[in-house]
Amino acid sequence: MKIEEIIQKYNYSDELSNFLKEVYPKLVDYFGDENLVYSSLSNTEIVLCNNVYNCLDERNMLEMDDEKVVKNDNLKQAAGAYCSKPQITYNKLENKYSLDKVDRIIAINANDLMHESTKACLIHEICHLIKSYYKEYEINNDTLIAHSGLINTIYQLNQNEGLVTKKVTFEDGVGLEEGLNSVAEEEITSKVIGKEYKSSGYGVVNAVARNVTSFDDNLIKEFIGAQTTHDTSKLSEILGQNYHELLSFTDNLYEKNLKLMSFTISPEERKQLETELKEYIVEKYTPIHADLKRTFSSERKS
């Protein structure tokens, strides 16, 4: 089995090795592409640590993130994270930026993998890795485009005496991607532990992702294809304008949910946010749901 090569490469512990041997074929089955699964895991070390933020910081994997939906501060209370960092150089003579390599890591806040939630967290981050790996970064003149499943993050590249910096100018797809990734987490974890598993922390975007993919049996495969290849043209064709409406809606939904999960808000603020969240879902998702229902109902009739 190819997973043995990965285990030997990183000298993983017996516990992590046994887990990877169990989950590897299920990842291949879910994504339908063993080469992608193998290449992703072969080029990314998995680290079990006591604090995700400190782990990434010590390895110089944290970057400025002021304009991103998920901030570095969120990692201070995170159970796990997949993180990648592109190494970019600037050629003054050619006035050209080049992508030299990509450093990748999965950090999991755990000393062991005995708990179901820890296994699920690792599966969640491995899924992020697999859905990012293929052409994760692209450079177009002085623009860097980062892909992570359905997430598109655009950076403006600048250089000063050869030192390259980047600043986020646009990002979308975070909410829908996290919802779909939590669905993948649930499906794969349930097979690993032998019983139904429900993810935590992604309730509203998970529910939307499950609702959207329930309209047609083949829709989840179309989403997986778009997530792993970063080509959303067919998905956009199938869903029409609803695809872009979903991206906007779920991004806002995810941000509101992050605020709701914050430990710093008061009970009164939490109650107010919960009310606003429910009202937002009714206002924005109801018309999207109705239109998708009409679209797929008419397709089945024809």
Side-chain angles (χ1 to χ4, degrees):
M1 186 185 292
K2 285 186 175 182
I3 190 62
E4 294 283 2
E5 299 173 15
I6 298 171
I7 290 169
Q8 292 177 13
K9 177 179 180 178
Y10 293 108
N11 192 29
Y12 286 140
S13 66
D14 289 343
E15 187 178 41
L16 182 53
S17 299
N18 291 333
F19 172 79
L20 289 173
K21 288 176 185 177
E22 186 175 14
V23 77
Y24 183 82
K26 295 172 178 61
L27 291 166
V28 172
D29 181 61
Y30 186 85
F31 289 101
D33 187 341
E34 183 170 10
N35 288 333
L36 177 60
V37 174
Y38 172 78
S39 296
S40 302
L41 288 170
S42 181
N43 290 287
T44 309
E45 184 177 9
I46 298 171
V47 178
L48 303 183
C49 57
N50 293 318
N51 184 282
V52 170
Y53 179 92
N54 291 341
C55 177
L56 297 176
D57 190 31
E58 289 166 3
R59 288 163 174 78
N60 195 30
M61 292 294 288
L62 296 177
E63 298 183 284
M64 294 296 292
D65 62 351
D66 291 344
E67 302 301 322
K68 297 187 73 173
V69 173
V70 180
K71 312 294 185 185
N72 283 339
D73 278 350
N74 295 125
L75 297 172
K76 293 179 179 180
Q77 60 188 50
Y82 161 65
C83 187
S84 67
K85 186 175 183 180
Q87 301 297 329
I88 300 169
T89 53
Y90 175 74
N91 186 313
K92 185 176 181 179
L93 293 176
E94 297 180 5
N95 188 27
K96 182 180 179 182
Y97 293 94
S98 299
L99 177 63
D100 298 333
K101 62 177 290 194
V102 179
D103 296 320
R104 297 179 172 92
I105 186 175
I106 289 177
I108 300 296
N109 188 15
N111 292 316
D112 61 63
L113 289 170
M114 294 298 293
H115 299 291
E116 292 178 359
S117 59
T118 306
K119 293 179 180 179
C121 179
L122 179 48
I123 288 170
H124 184 95
E125 300 309 329
I126 290 175
C127 287
H128 272 313
L129 159 67
I130 293 170
K131 291 186 286 183
S132 300
Y133 189 79
Y134 176 73
K135 293 184 177 180
E136 184 172 8
Y137 294 98
E138 297 178 272
I139 293 179
N140 183 9
N141 296 323
D142 60 353
T143 298
L144 174 70
I145 304 171
H147 304 283
S148 180
L150 300 180
I151 302 171
N152 290 303
T153 308
I154 299 177
Y155 299 84
Q156 173 69 49
L157 296 176
N158 291 288
Q159 65 82 29
N160 184 11
E161 296 183 354
L163 179 64
V164 178
T165 60
K166 59 185 189 294
K167 179 177 177 60
V168 175
T169 58
F170 176 81
E171 184 176 54
D172 73 350
V174 177
L176 187 55
E177 177 58 37
E178 286 294 359
L180 289 164
N181 203 55
S182 67
V183 171
E185 170 195 342
E186 290 176 338
E187 297 293 325
I188 297 169
T189 301
S190 295
K191 292 179 180 179
V192 169
I193 66 176
K195 62 180 181 180
E196 185 180 20
Y197 179 84
K198 289 294 183 183
S199 68
S200 59
Y202 301 94
V204 286
V205 288
N206 175 283
V208 171
R210 284 206 173 272
N211 185 264
V212 170
T213 54
S214 69
F215 285 105
D216 186 272
D217 292 340
N218 293 319
L219 201 48
I220 188 65
K221 293 181 181 179
E222 296 295 345
F223 270 105
I224 292 173
Q227 288 171 303
T228 53
T229 64
H230 310 138
D231 180 357
T232 60
S233 57
K234 189 174 181 182
L235 198 58
S236 295
E237 182 182 339
I238 294 170
L239 299 178
Q241 182 60 31
N242 285 308
Y243 176 64
H244 300 287
E245 295 289 342
L246 274 169
L247 290 183
S248 177
F249 164 68
T250 49
D251 277 349
N252 289 327
L253 191 64
Y254 186 64
E255 285 195 66
K256 292 177 185 294
N257 195 54
L258 283 179
K259 293 178 182 178
L260 189 62
M261 293 170 61
S262 172
F263 294 129
T264 60
I265 63 173
S266 67
E268 292 77 17
E269 289 174 314
R270 190 178 304 279
K271 187 175 180 179
Q272 176 63 29
L273 280 172
E274 288 174 347
T275 301
E276 291 176 3
L277 194 62
K278 291 175 182 177
E279 291 175 349
Y280 181 73
I281 292 171
V282 172
E283 177 189 356
K284 297 295 184 181
Y285 188 60
T286 300
I288 297 174
H289 176 272
D291 195 39
L292 286 173
K293 188 175 182 179
R294 282 193 297 270
T295 298
F296 285 99
S297 294
S298 62
E299 286 182 0
R300 280 191 287 269
K301 289 177 182 178
S302 59

